[in-house]
Amino acid sequence: MTTSASELSMITGASAIRALYLQVRARTMQIVAPLEIEDYVIQTAEFMSPPRWHIGHTSWFFETVLQAHRPGYKVYSEDYLFYFNSYYEGFGARIERTKRGTKSRPTVRETVAYRNHVDEQMLAFLDSLDEQHSAETVLSLVRLGLEHEMQHQELLVYDIKHLLCDEYDAPVQPQPAPASSVKVEGMAEIEGGLFWLGYGSKDQSPKTKVQSLSNYEFAFDNEKPAHQVFLQDYALDRALVSNGDFLEFIRDQGYQNFRWWFSEGWEVVNREKWLAPLYWELHDGEWMIRDFTGLHSAASKANEPVCHVSYYEASAFAKWAGKRLPTEAEWEKAATSEPNAVEPKAFPWGDDEVDSAKANLLESGLWSVAAVGSFPAGQSAYGCHQMIGDVWEWTTSDYVPYPGFKSEFDEYNDKWFVNQKVLRGGSFATPQGHIRSTYRNFFHAHERWMISGFRCAKDA
Ligand SMILES: [Fe+2]
């Protein structure tokens, strides 16, 4: 008996997804491994979620796949469906987001048992897929579930930082010494014109060839379809804005001067009494930054990218500096294009896959930003450094659907297309296999507990 090409590609797909499943599920548990039992259930702010909730919620997502597609699957617990649903109206009633830390049940032990149950069921389900008619649909849902879990791994890092910060026993690797003695400064001058924005498909853009890369085998619906936009000539900072740059803004009374701020931002500055980015502390007149490794003077980290700033703070700095933030199209063009080249690259450094020599992502194990200039091998053709990794970069672009957008999963991305800003490029907490140059992250303008920084742009 012969195996048809489509059957063969489905089997390959299933075994690749199975391997990815094991890897992603294991890493979530590695992130929470240093936690004590009490750490799992606390909610330190309305915007964060207890670690116990993340490990249950990511399992709940797969349980919805089992419910819909595995014949005869029985729900593990109706109570868990209520507690671990995040925001999906379509999946029924759920606990309010702000109340996730008000319950001690299910316990951590029960949540881990639920997780193990879902894993057993999912692996058996994946192994039986060749007998199913809906294998392709299921495999793409499982891939979505794994990308979803990688998003939650990053959220876990944010939330554990908010919960414990330097009390968390992070398995920190030594920082790479910047391999380049060249200072990264100045702005790249980039020519305008028509640009293909977004994740490409065969008929829509010249981005087809990069899709053989594993990070490009998948894209969220919000990155599609690729479409042409027109850009004016512009300039973009070659380096991320650093703590040293930001200290100058603070010392110049940036947080006390309304003229740099949007009205909404100025209200937040005054209401929340912001004087510096989140995790900055004033000790005897000196600004200090607390991170996973301890408390450090901001001056000693002057050459590291500033992080934990809101869109308001990034915009205020840019105005103070006589610049502006880039649009997401300006960011993506600087990351993927070469001067006068037609064909865009998958990543700033070209079409090679992501690795720790090119970008500071979760697998690098730094648990921190790296100094500006640490990854010369990762720079773009225009000489912009650290576009992938280190910090998510704020853009001025509103998070709205691209023209021609089609939702591929209800309530996942489509219902958030209002009142949020796009961030690009991933952070030191983003898994390597999860990032693309076309990836659109999004947060509200006031949020800053995520790993967010920026670089500035200017009109030519
Ligand atoms: Fe989620």
Side-chain angles (χ1 to χ4, degrees), residues 62-89:
F62 287 113
E63 196 181 27
T64 67
V65 178
L66 291 166
Q67 278 179 267
H69 296 280
R70 186 156 202 212
Y73 180 81
K74 287 199 182 60
V75 166
Y76 187 80
S77 156
E78 292 290 337
D79 289 346
Y80 291 14
L81 294 185
F82 178 79
Y83 182 69
F84 291 123
N85 181 0
S86 51
Y87 52 67
Y88 294 89
E89 304 284 345

Short mmCIF file of all heavy atoms in Angstrom, two decimals, residues 62-89:
data_model
loop_
_atom_site.label_atom_id
_atom_site.label_comp_id
_atom_site.label_asym_id
_atom_site.label_seq_id
_atom_site.Cartn_x
_atom_site.Cartn_y
_atom_site.Cartn_z
N PHE A 62 -6.48 23.81 25.31
CA PHE A 62 -6.42 22.51 24.62
C PHE A 62 -7.65 21.66 24.94
O PHE A 62 -8.08 20.85 24.12
CB PHE A 62 -5.12 21.77 24.97
CG PHE A 62 -3.92 22.38 24.30
CD1 PHE A 62 -2.94 23.01 25.05
CD2 PHE A 62 -3.78 22.33 22.92
CE1 PHE A 62 -1.84 23.58 24.43
CE2 PHE A 62 -2.68 22.90 22.29
CZ PHE A 62 -1.70 23.54 23.05
N GLU A 63 -8.21 21.85 26.14
CA GLU A 63 -9.40 21.07 26.45
C GLU A 63 -10.57 21.48 25.55
O GLU A 63 -11.40 20.64 25.18
CB GLU A 63 -9.79 21.19 27.93
CG GLU A 63 -10.78 20.09 28.31
CD GLU A 63 -11.26 20.12 29.76
OE1 GLU A 63 -11.27 21.21 30.37
OE2 GLU A 63 -11.67 19.05 30.25
N THR A 64 -10.61 22.75 25.13
CA THR A 64 -11.67 23.16 24.20
C THR A 64 -11.51 22.46 22.85
O THR A 64 -12.49 22.15 22.19
CB THR A 64 -11.70 24.70 23.98
OG1 THR A 64 -10.52 25.10 23.29
CG2 THR A 64 -11.83 25.47 25.28
N VAL A 65 -10.23 22.19 22.46
CA VAL A 65 -9.98 21.45 21.21
C VAL A 65 -10.47 20.01 21.37
O VAL A 65 -11.12 19.45 20.47
CB VAL A 65 -8.47 21.48 20.85
CG1 VAL A 65 -8.21 20.67 19.57
CG2 VAL A 65 -7.99 22.92 20.68
N LEU A 66 -10.16 19.39 22.52
CA LEU A 66 -10.60 18.02 22.78
C LEU A 66 -12.13 17.92 22.77
O LEU A 66 -12.71 17.01 22.19
CB LEU A 66 -10.06 17.54 24.13
CG LEU A 66 -8.54 17.31 24.20
CD1 LEU A 66 -8.08 17.16 25.65
CD2 LEU A 66 -8.15 16.06 23.39
N GLN A 67 -12.76 18.90 23.45
CA GLN A 67 -14.23 18.91 23.51
C GLN A 67 -14.84 18.96 22.12
O GLN A 67 -15.81 18.27 21.83
CB GLN A 67 -14.72 20.14 24.28
CG GLN A 67 -14.70 20.00 25.78
CD GLN A 67 -15.20 21.30 26.41
OE1 GLN A 67 -14.41 22.17 26.73
NE2 GLN A 67 -16.50 21.44 26.54
N ALA A 68 -14.26 19.80 21.27
CA ALA A 68 -14.86 20.01 19.94
C ALA A 68 -14.52 18.88 18.96
O ALA A 68 -15.29 18.61 18.05
CB ALA A 68 -14.39 21.35 19.37
N HIS A 69 -13.36 18.23 19.15
CA HIS A 69 -12.88 17.35 18.07
C HIS A 69 -12.58 15.91 18.47
O HIS A 69 -12.42 15.06 17.62
CB HIS A 69 -11.64 17.96 17.41
CG HIS A 69 -11.92 19.25 16.71
ND1 HIS A 69 -12.48 19.31 15.46
CD2 HIS A 69 -11.77 20.54 17.12
CE1 HIS A 69 -12.64 20.57 15.11
NE2 HIS A 69 -12.22 21.34 16.09
N ARG A 70 -12.43 15.63 19.79
CA ARG A 70 -12.12 14.25 20.14
C ARG A 70 -13.40 13.51 20.47
O ARG A 70 -14.07 13.82 21.48
CB ARG A 70 -11.15 14.18 21.33
CG ARG A 70 -10.74 12.73 21.57
CD ARG A 70 -9.44 12.55 22.28
NE ARG A 70 -8.96 11.21 21.96
CZ ARG A 70 -8.25 10.45 22.77
NH1 ARG A 70 -7.88 10.90 23.95
NH2 ARG A 70 -7.90 9.24 22.39
N PRO A 71 -13.79 12.53 19.67
CA PRO A 71 -15.05 11.84 19.90
C PRO A 71 -15.09 11.23 21.30
O PRO A 71 -14.13 10.59 21.72
CB PRO A 71 -15.06 10.74 18.83
CG PRO A 71 -14.10 11.21 17.78
CD PRO A 71 -13.06 12.01 18.48
N GLY A 72 -16.16 11.51 22.01
CA GLY A 72 -16.36 10.90 23.32
C GLY A 72 -15.61 11.57 24.46
O GLY A 72 -15.66 11.09 25.59
N TYR A 73 -14.92 12.69 24.19
CA TYR A 73 -14.18 13.34 25.28
C TYR A 73 -15.15 13.89 26.33
O TYR A 73 -16.13 14.56 26.01
CB TYR A 73 -13.29 14.47 24.75
CG TYR A 73 -12.53 15.14 25.88
CD1 TYR A 73 -11.37 14.56 26.39
CD2 TYR A 73 -13.01 16.29 26.49
CE1 TYR A 73 -10.70 15.14 27.47
CE2 TYR A 73 -12.35 16.87 27.57
CZ TYR A 73 -11.19 16.29 28.06
OH TYR A 73 -10.55 16.83 29.13
N LYS A 74 -14.84 13.62 27.60
CA LYS A 74 -15.69 14.13 28.69
C LYS A 74 -14.95 15.25 29.42
O LYS A 74 -13.77 15.11 29.75
CB LYS A 74 -16.00 13.01 29.68
CG LYS A 74 -17.00 12.00 29.16
CD LYS A 74 -17.63 11.20 30.31
CE LYS A 74 -18.58 10.16 29.78
NZ LYS A 74 -17.92 9.17 28.88
N VAL A 75 -15.67 16.35 29.67
CA VAL A 75 -15.08 17.50 30.36
C VAL A 75 -14.53 17.08 31.73
O VAL A 75 -15.17 16.34 32.46
CB VAL A 75 -16.15 18.61 30.52
CG1 VAL A 75 -15.70 19.68 31.51
CG2 VAL A 75 -16.44 19.24 29.17
N TYR A 76 -13.33 17.56 32.06
CA TYR A 76 -12.65 17.19 33.30
C TYR A 76 -13.38 17.75 34.51
O TYR A 76 -13.59 17.06 35.50
CB TYR A 76 -11.23 17.72 33.23
CG TYR A 76 -10.31 17.29 34.34
CD1 TYR A 76 -9.70 16.04 34.32
CD2 TYR A 76 -10.01 18.15 35.41
CE1 TYR A 76 -8.82 15.65 35.33
CE2 TYR A 76 -9.15 17.77 36.41
CZ TYR A 76 -8.55 16.51 36.37
OH TYR A 76 -7.69 16.12 37.37
N SER A 77 -13.77 19.03 34.42
CA SER A 77 -14.48 19.66 35.54
C SER A 77 -15.16 20.93 35.05
O SER A 77 -14.49 21.80 34.48
CB SER A 77 -13.50 20.00 36.65
OG SER A 77 -14.00 21.06 37.45
N GLU A 78 -16.46 21.04 35.28
CA GLU A 78 -17.19 22.26 34.88
C GLU A 78 -16.62 23.47 35.63
O GLU A 78 -16.56 24.57 35.09
CB GLU A 78 -18.69 22.11 35.18
CG GLU A 78 -19.41 21.08 34.30
CD GLU A 78 -19.55 21.51 32.84
OE1 GLU A 78 -19.50 22.72 32.55
OE2 GLU A 78 -19.69 20.61 31.98
N ASP A 79 -16.22 23.27 36.89
CA ASP A 79 -15.65 24.37 37.68
C ASP A 79 -14.38 24.92 37.04
O ASP A 79 -14.13 26.12 37.04
CB ASP A 79 -15.30 23.90 39.10
CG ASP A 79 -16.54 23.63 39.92
OD1 ASP A 79 -17.64 24.05 39.49
OD2 ASP A 79 -16.42 22.98 40.98
N TYR A 80 -13.58 24.01 36.48
CA TYR A 80 -12.33 24.46 35.86
C TYR A 80 -12.63 25.25 34.59
O TYR A 80 -11.93 26.21 34.27
CB TYR A 80 -11.42 23.27 35.51
CG TYR A 80 -10.84 22.54 36.71
CD1 TYR A 80 -11.33 22.74 37.99
CD2 TYR A 80 -9.79 21.64 36.54
CE1 TYR A 80 -10.79 22.06 39.08
CE2 TYR A 80 -9.25 20.97 37.62
CZ TYR A 80 -9.76 21.17 38.89
OH TYR A 80 -9.23 20.49 39.95
N LEU A 81 -13.67 24.85 33.85
CA LEU A 81 -14.05 25.60 32.64
C LEU A 81 -14.37 27.04 33.02
O LEU A 81 -14.05 27.98 32.30
CB LEU A 81 -15.26 24.96 31.95
CG LEU A 81 -15.07 23.57 31.35
CD1 LEU A 81 -16.34 23.15 30.60
CD2 LEU A 81 -13.87 23.51 30.41
N PHE A 82 -14.99 27.22 34.17
CA PHE A 82 -15.35 28.56 34.65
C PHE A 82 -14.10 29.33 35.08
O PHE A 82 -13.90 30.48 34.72
CB PHE A 82 -16.33 28.44 35.82
CG PHE A 82 -16.72 29.76 36.42
CD1 PHE A 82 -17.67 30.56 35.82
CD2 PHE A 82 -16.13 30.21 37.60
CE1 PHE A 82 -18.04 31.79 36.37
CE2 PHE A 82 -16.49 31.43 38.16
CZ PHE A 82 -17.44 32.22 37.54
N TYR A 83 -13.24 28.68 35.84
CA TYR A 83 -12.09 29.41 36.41
C TYR A 83 -11.00 29.68 35.37
O TYR A 83 -10.33 30.71 35.43
CB TYR A 83 -11.50 28.64 37.61
CG TYR A 83 -10.34 29.39 38.23
CD1 TYR A 83 -10.57 30.59 38.93
CD2 TYR A 83 -9.03 28.96 38.09
CE1 TYR A 83 -9.52 31.31 39.47
CE2 TYR A 83 -7.97 29.67 38.63
CZ TYR A 83 -8.22 30.85 39.33
OH TYR A 83 -7.18 31.58 39.85
N PHE A 84 -10.80 28.77 34.41
CA PHE A 84 -9.66 28.90 33.51
C PHE A 84 -9.99 29.53 32.15
O PHE A 84 -9.08 29.76 31.35
CB PHE A 84 -8.96 27.55 33.33
CG PHE A 84 -8.26 27.07 34.57
CD1 PHE A 84 -8.56 25.83 35.14
CD2 PHE A 84 -7.30 27.86 35.18
CE1 PHE A 84 -7.91 25.40 36.29
CE2 PHE A 84 -6.63 27.44 36.34
CZ PHE A 84 -6.94 26.20 36.89
N ASN A 85 -11.26 29.80 31.86
CA ASN A 85 -11.59 30.58 30.66
C ASN A 85 -11.10 32.00 30.88
O ASN A 85 -11.26 32.55 31.97
CB ASN A 85 -13.11 30.54 30.42
CG ASN A 85 -13.54 31.32 29.17
OD1 ASN A 85 -12.72 31.89 28.47
ND2 ASN A 85 -14.84 31.33 28.91
N SER A 86 -10.49 32.61 29.86
CA SER A 86 -9.97 33.97 30.05
C SER A 86 -11.02 35.01 29.73
O SER A 86 -11.50 35.71 30.62
CB SER A 86 -8.74 34.18 29.17
OG SER A 86 -9.02 33.80 27.83
N TYR A 87 -11.38 35.10 28.46
CA TYR A 87 -12.30 36.17 28.05
C TYR A 87 -13.25 35.72 26.95
O TYR A 87 -13.86 36.54 26.29
CB TYR A 87 -11.50 37.40 27.59
CG TYR A 87 -10.45 37.12 26.55
CD1 TYR A 87 -10.82 36.71 25.27
CD2 TYR A 87 -9.10 37.29 26.83
CE1 TYR A 87 -9.87 36.45 24.30
CE2 TYR A 87 -8.13 37.03 25.85
CZ TYR A 87 -8.52 36.61 24.60
OH TYR A 87 -7.58 36.36 23.63
N TYR A 88 -13.34 34.42 26.69
CA TYR A 88 -14.11 33.93 25.55
C TYR A 88 -15.59 33.81 25.90
O TYR A 88 -16.00 32.89 26.59
CB TYR A 88 -13.57 32.57 25.07
CG TYR A 88 -12.18 32.66 24.51
CD1 TYR A 88 -11.07 32.53 25.33
CD2 TYR A 88 -11.98 32.92 23.15
CE1 TYR A 88 -9.78 32.63 24.81
CE2 TYR A 88 -10.69 33.02 22.63
CZ TYR A 88 -9.60 32.87 23.47
OH TYR A 88 -8.33 32.98 22.94
N GLU A 89 -16.39 34.75 25.38
CA GLU A 89 -17.84 34.69 25.57
C GLU A 89 -18.38 33.38 24.98
O GLU A 89 -19.27 32.76 25.53
CB GLU A 89 -18.53 35.86 24.85
CG GLU A 89 -18.05 37.25 25.25
CD GLU A 89 -18.59 37.71 26.59
OE1 GLU A 89 -19.55 37.08 27.09
OE2 GLU A 89 -18.04 38.68 27.14
#
